[in-house]
């Protein structure tokens, strides 16, 4: 008994000793990488701090005993290459590596942005109406390496500016015809502008960087315009490859023209908007970058003072990669109180952007005739996809957590647990102003894997499993690719998505599943519980506040609150739902989900779904407890 007591005392002492002597490394925008990395003499870069931690672990230094804490002081940490976290950076359960803010009041920002300075008022370009030329400000994009930064995003005093557009943000016009055989879209030559003046597109025939955004049901396409052939009141548009071939070859989704292609109940033609031409720069808050000069044109809003404005463009698409393998995963690395900001998304400028669903761009796609594939005889929509670009990528990892972090001003995916990630958590984080999906998880088989074939890896360690997504606020996302989602999970297992607030997005809120298959794959035991989803389907349709695909045995959708389903203004039908079990969903129990009406739908569901008490009759106690749980640390 006495020996046991002494052992407990010594264990407690050495545990306290380890905590007290945890290694601390300090980083500051005012530091130097020649410093020792102490609080009084911090490093300048996070890379130097991570290397120091790696060396401590390699040399088994005593600083490792209680964990290594890399503490970032307040300020912006600009990056020109992605931060690389590798297996050698792994911690242990008793000695994690924690990258965190110095204190609760510090706001360290890891940024891929770069400032645009040297603004001058006025321009003499004849493409801009004479009465507007004095209102336009210009500046050269900064140099990175030996070239001007090319960008599709620009923030002025923290507010995202809109690329010069034919219409105000979110407004579109109905197309006249969509011709797959000729690979053309026909649109009206004339249109009414914001001030209700009749305009035409004749002046855009020589606009070499012009793009068209096409509204096609549950997705958009971004097509680079090759030519405009004006034929009286109609204009025929052709596009560059590869996107021209993809847009007209893939059968789903395509635009609707008068209910063609066997569609019924459609209301009007699909819509479009022309964008990215200096000739369209006619509203405060719009901007345009000319290529190859790099000159940026901006029409300031009344509140913008360009002599002192902070103007940021992104120079990076990826801020950080956590990259392990099955044999040597990255383990026990945690991020706390860090802001990740300002990343780019350049795919549409180089190859257009035609997607299948959820923001996943097509590599190839075409229509099949019966029979389809051996795995799915009725399949007519064969497709191969790529994964969207992302600000933070995690692969081959265990216990990689993000807590109390902010993800903002990001142009594509915010955070992506891409492959072989397990036992990780995203908690109490804020995702806002994100062009694509806030958070992606799991396999969406890409490259040479046809996307409708059930995914069953030979080694199940390749799956993303046991990931917890809790208490996060996700708002104002999908603002560049409208077809992305708030939280998206593909082939995943034992995922917990609970008590998040997901709102103000253009398509679906929380989406789990992939493959459009009733076959048993690797998806199962997924949990969507206690979330609050609202103000969704703002621009697209065939959407769900909570949305699922394929067979997921043992999964639950419980105690959620879903409301404010927006009637998308350019939808050609009314297919948007509070809960949508899309093709072949099976194995789900839907229980006590509150929504104002029973607006649900199922597309060829399996036999093992169970519905229990969903709709406006659900108790107020359940309704009011959905969403984020307030904690002392929030």
């Amino acid at each position: 008994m006495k020996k046991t007591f002494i052992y407990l005392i010594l264990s407690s002492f050495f545990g306290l000793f380890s905590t007290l002597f945890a290694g601390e490394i300090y980083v500051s925008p005012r530091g130097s990488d020649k410093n020792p990395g102490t609080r009084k003499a911090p490093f300048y870069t996070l890379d130097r701090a991570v290397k120091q931690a790696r060396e401590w672990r390699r040399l088994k230094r005593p600083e490792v005993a209680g964990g290594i804490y890399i503490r970032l002081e307040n300020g912006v940490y600009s990056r020109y290459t992605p931060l690389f976290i590798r297996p050698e950076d792994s911690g242990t359960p008793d000695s994690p590596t924690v990258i965190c803010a110095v204190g609760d009041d510090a706001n360290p920002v890891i940024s891929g942005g770069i400032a645009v300075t040297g603004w001058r008022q006025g321009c003499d370009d004849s493409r801009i109406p004479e009465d507007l030329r004095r209102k336009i400000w210009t500046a050269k994009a900064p140099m990175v390496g030996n070239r001007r930064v090319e960008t599709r995003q620009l923030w002025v005093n923290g507010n995202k500016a809109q690329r010069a557009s034919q219409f105000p943000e979110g407004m579109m016009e109905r197309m006249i015809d969509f011709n797959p055989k000729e690979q053309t879209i026909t649109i009206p030559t004339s249109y009414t502008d914001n001030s209700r003046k009749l305009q035409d597109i004749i002046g855009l025939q020589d606009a070499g960087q012009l793009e068209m955004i096409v509204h096609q049901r549950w997705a958009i396409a971004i097509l680079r315009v090759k030519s405009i052939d004006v034929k009286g009141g109609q204009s025929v548009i052709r596009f560059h490859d590869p996107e021209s071939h993809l847009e007209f070859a893939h059968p789903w989704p395509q635009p609707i023209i008068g209910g063609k292609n066997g569609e019924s109940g459609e209301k009007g033609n699909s819509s479009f908007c022309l964008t990215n031409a200096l000739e369209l720069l006619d509203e405060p808050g719009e901007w345009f970058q000319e290529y190859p000069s790099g000159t940026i044109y901006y029409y300031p809003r009344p509140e913008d003072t360009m002599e002192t404005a902070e103007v940021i463009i992104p120079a990076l698409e990826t801020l950080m990669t956590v990259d392990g393998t099955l044999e040597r995963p990255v383990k026990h690395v945690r991020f706390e109180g860090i802001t990740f900001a300002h990343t780019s998304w350049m795919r549409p400028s180089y190859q257009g952007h035609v997607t299948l669903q959820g923001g996943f761009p097509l590599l190839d796609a075409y229509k099949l005739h019966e029979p389809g594939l051996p795995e799915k005889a009725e399949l007519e929509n064969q497709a191969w996809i790529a994964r969207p670009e992302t600000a933070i990528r995690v692969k081959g990892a265990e216990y990689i957590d993000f807590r109390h972090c902010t993800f903002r001003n990001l142009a594509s995916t915010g955070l992506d647990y891409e492959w072989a990630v397990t036992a990780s958590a995203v908690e109490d984080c804020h995702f806002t102003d994100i062009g694509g999906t806030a958070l992606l998880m799991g396999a969406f088989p890409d490259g040479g894997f046809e996307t409708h074939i059930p995914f069953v890896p030979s080694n199940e360690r390749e799956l993303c499993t046991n990931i917890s997504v809790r208490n996060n606020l996700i708002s104002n996302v999908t603002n560049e690719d409208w077809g992305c989602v708030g939280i998206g999970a593909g082939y995943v297992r034992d995922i917990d998505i609970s008590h998040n607030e997901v709102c103000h997005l253009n398509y679906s809120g929380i989406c789990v599943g992939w493959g459009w298959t009733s076959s048993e794959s690797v998806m199962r035991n997924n949990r969507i519980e206690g979330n609050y989803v609202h103000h969704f389907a703002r621009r697209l349709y065939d959407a769900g506040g909570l949305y699922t695909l394929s067979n997921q045995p043992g999964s639950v959708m419980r105690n959620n609150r879903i409301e404010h389903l927006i009637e998308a203004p350019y939808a050609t039908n009314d297919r948007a739902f509070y809960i949508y079990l899309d093709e072949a969903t099976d194995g789900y129990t839907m229980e006590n989900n509150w929504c104002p009406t029973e607006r649900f739908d199922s597309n060829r569901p399996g036999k093992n779904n169970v519905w229990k008490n969903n709709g406006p009759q659900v108790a107020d106690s359940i309704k009011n407890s959905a969403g984020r749980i307030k904690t002392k640390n929030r």
Side-chain angles (χ1 to χ4, degrees):
M1 181 70 178
K2 187 174 182 179
K3 288 182 179 179
T4 302
F5 179 74
I6 293 172
Y7 173 79
L8 291 173
I9 293 293
L10 289 174
S11 297
S12 299
F13 174 78
F14 284 115
L16 178 61
F17 180 90
S18 296
T19 302
L20 290 174
F21 285 88
E24 292 189 319
I25 303 171
Y26 286 85
V27 189
S28 170
R30 297 160 291 281
S32 169
D33 282 353
K34 295 180 180 179
N35 288 342
T38 62
R39 183 154 200 169
K40 290 185 178 180
F43 290 134
Y44 176 64
T45 67
L46 183 53
D47 306 73
R48 181 66 184 86
V50 170
K51 183 179 180 181
Q52 178 72 76
R54 188 184 311 134
E55 288 298 288
W56 281 355
R57 292 194 184 278
R58 182 179 68 87
L59 298 172
K60 297 181 172 57
R61 291 283 298 270
E63 291 90 343
V64 172
I68 299 175
Y69 289 78
I70 299 175
R71 302 191 184 277
L72 277 62
E73 294 185 4
N74 192 58
V76 176
Y77 298 82
S78 297
R79 300 207 57 84
Y80 300 97
T81 58
L83 179 66
F84 178 30
I85 306 294
R86 62 203 82 180
E88 290 80 3
D89 299 315
S90 293
T92 67
D94 297 326
S95 174
T97 294
V98 182
I99 300 174
C100 58
V102 166
D104 292 341
D105 295 332
N107 181 30
V109 179
I110 299 175
S111 173
I114 187 168
V116 181
T117 58
W119 289 93
R120 296 185 178 182
Q121 184 176 9
C123 70
D124 297 324
D125 199 302
S126 61
R127 291 172 292 177
I128 297 175
E130 188 172 354
D131 61 327
L132 292 180
R133 293 176 193 172
R134 285 290 299 165
K135 298 179 181 180
I136 306 299
W137 289 66
T138 63
K140 285 283 190 182
M143 300 282 290
V144 172
N146 62 353
R147 60 177 297 155
R148 299 280 176 189
V149 175
E150 187 179 357
T151 183
R152 298 176 64 87
Q153 297 79 31
L154 179 140
W155 288 271
V156 180
N157 295 327
N159 298 308
K160 192 172 190 177
Q162 182 186 1
R163 298 174 89 211
S165 179
Q166 188 180 11
F167 306 114
E169 185 177 6
M171 183 175 172
M172 309 189 87
E173 176 64 87
R174 302 285 180 182
M175 62 179 64
I176 295 171
D177 191 32
F178 180 88
N179 189 327
K181 184 177 180 180
E182 298 296 329
Q183 295 189 17
T184 61
I185 293 176
T186 302
I187 65 173
T189 299
S190 300
Y191 61 93
T192 302
D193 70 5
N194 306 346
S195 58
R196 300 188 181 279
K197 294 179 181 178
L198 192 64
Q199 305 282 357
D200 60 53
I201 66 169
I202 293 175
L204 298 175
Q205 289 172 295
D206 297 322
Q209 296 167 239
L210 187 67
E211 297 176 359
M212 177 182 283
I213 298 173
V214 178
H215 186 296
Q216 40 198 38
R217 311 185 196 196
W218 58 83
I220 63 167
I222 302 173
L223 311 175
R224 298 169 298 163
V225 173
K226 183 178 182 180
S227 67
I228 300 175
D229 185 8
V230 177
K231 297 181 177 180
Q234 299 184 359
S235 293
V236 179
I237 316 294
R238 289 177 170 81
F239 308 95
H240 290 284
D241 280 324
E243 66 267 36
S244 183
H245 165 75
L246 291 169
E247 172 67 5
F248 294 98
H250 80 294
W252 299 99
Q254 275 192 349
I256 290 293
I257 300 295
K260 290 182 180 179
N261 304 319
E263 296 296 326
S264 60
E266 301 292 343
K267 48 182 182 180
N269 294 348
S270 291
S271 303
F272 74 93
C273 178
L274 296 172
T275 186
N276 199 44
L278 187 58
E279 292 86 346
L280 297 173
L281 185 61
D282 58 2
E283 287 292 322
E286 289 188 330
W287 70 284
F288 170 78
Q289 183 183 30
E290 189 169 55
Y291 178 83
S293 72
T295 301
I296 297 174
Y297 298 77
Y298 179 61
Y299 189 163
R301 292 164 294 203
E303 62 269 27
D304 295 328
T305 303
M306 295 308 296
E307 293 89 347
T308 58
E310 179 190 61
V311 182
I312 301 292
I313 60 174
L316 282 182
E317 286 191 327
T318 300
L319 285 175
M320 181 175 71
T321 298
V322 179
D323 199 355
T325 66
L326 291 180
E327 296 75 19
R328 300 183 68 245
V330 182
K331 297 183 179 181
H332 298 286
V333 179
R334 189 164 76 240
F335 301 86
E336 293 184 352
I338 306 295
T339 293
F340 301 94
H342 297 122
T343 56
S344 183
W345 179 50
M346 293 303 300
R347 170 187 290 271
S349 293
Y350 303 145
Q351 51 191 306
H353 185 62
V354 182
T355 67
L356 177 67
Q357 184 168 313
F360 286 85
L362 290 168
L363 299 175
D364 195 10
Y366 52 87
K367 186 172 183 176
L368 292 175
H369 299 286
E370 292 185 4
L373 301 179
E375 297 84 359
K376 190 174 184 180
E378 72 276 18
L379 181 70
E380 64 168 355
N381 182 26
Q382 197 165 30
W384 295 262
I385 61 173
R387 202 168 184 108
E389 291 74 16
T390 184
I392 311 294
R393 174 176 286 111
V394 183
K395 299 169 60 179
E398 302 173 9
Y399 302 98
I400 306 298
D401 298 344
F402 294 83
R403 299 177 182 170
H404 307 287
C405 291
T406 297
F407 301 79
R408 61 172 173 82
N409 311 130
L410 308 174
S412 187
T413 306
L415 171 61
D416 191 350
Y417 285 119
E418 182 174 325
W419 173 81
V421 181
T422 189
S424 298
V426 182
E427 297 181 349
D428 295 288
C429 292
H430 184 198
F431 296 79
T432 187
D433 187 6
I434 294 177
T437 295
L439 172 60
L440 268 182
M441 296 176 285
F444 295 83
D446 55 3
F449 193 102
E450 204 285 324
T451 199
H452 299 91
I453 297 174
F455 178 64
V456 184
S458 58
N459 188 339
E460 292 199 357
R461 292 175 58 208
E462 295 182 20
L463 294 176
C464 287
T465 62
N466 291 292
I467 297 174
S468 174
V469 180
R470 294 177 57 85
N471 282 0
N472 301 288
L473 172 59
I474 296 172
S475 177
N476 182 26
V477 301
T478 74
N479 60 31
E480 291 212 19
D481 185 344
W482 303 348
C484 293
V485 302
I487 299 172
Y491 285 88
V492 292
R493 177 186 297 170
D494 297 304
I495 299 297
D496 175 17
I497 302 172
S498 58
H499 289 286
N500 303 281
E501 182 175 353
V502 182
C503 57
H504 302 291
L505 31 77
N506 293 310
Y507 179 49
S508 297
I510 298 173
C511 303
V512 180
W514 196 249
W516 295 268
T517 177
S518 59
S519 300
E520 188 166 333
S521 58
V522 292
M523 294 180 283
R524 64 172 179 262
N525 301 335
N526 297 313
R527 177 183 173 198
I528 308 169
E529 183 164 355
N531 301 283
Y532 179 29
V533 179
H534 58 98
H535 293 91
F536 65 98
R538 294 188 305 180
R539 294 179 179 170
L540 302 180
Y541 57 106
D542 225 51
L546 304 180
Y547 174 100
T548 59
L549 270 173
S550 301
N551 190 4
Q552 304 177 45
S555 296
V556 297
M557 187 185 296
R558 179 186 298 130
N559 298 346
N560 299 284
R561 175 179 179 177
I562 316 108
E563 61 183 331
H564 300 300
L565 189 165
I566 308 300
E567 300 294 341
Y570 299 100
T572 62
N573 66 42
D574 299 319
R575 290 186 53 78
F577 311 97
Y578 295 112
I579 296 175
Y580 184 18
L581 308 186
D582 203 352
E583 186 171 340
T585 294
D586 202 0
Y588 261 93
T589 296
M590 280 62 59
E591 183 176 12
N592 291 332
N593 297 290
W594 183 93
C595 45
T597 63
E598 293 186 9
R599 187 166 170 173
F600 309 138
D601 195 34
S602 298
N603 178 14
R604 299 166 63 185
K607 298 179 180 179
N608 298 305
N609 295 316
V610 178
W611 293 84
K612 297 180 181 178
N613 190 39
N614 299 279
Q617 73 277 8
V618 171
D620 285 348
S621 60
I622 294 175
K623 169 186 174 181
N624 295 331
S625 63
R628 291 177 294 156
I629 299 174
K630 307 302 180 184
T631 66
K632 292 181 180 179
N633 294 323
R634 287 197 62 81

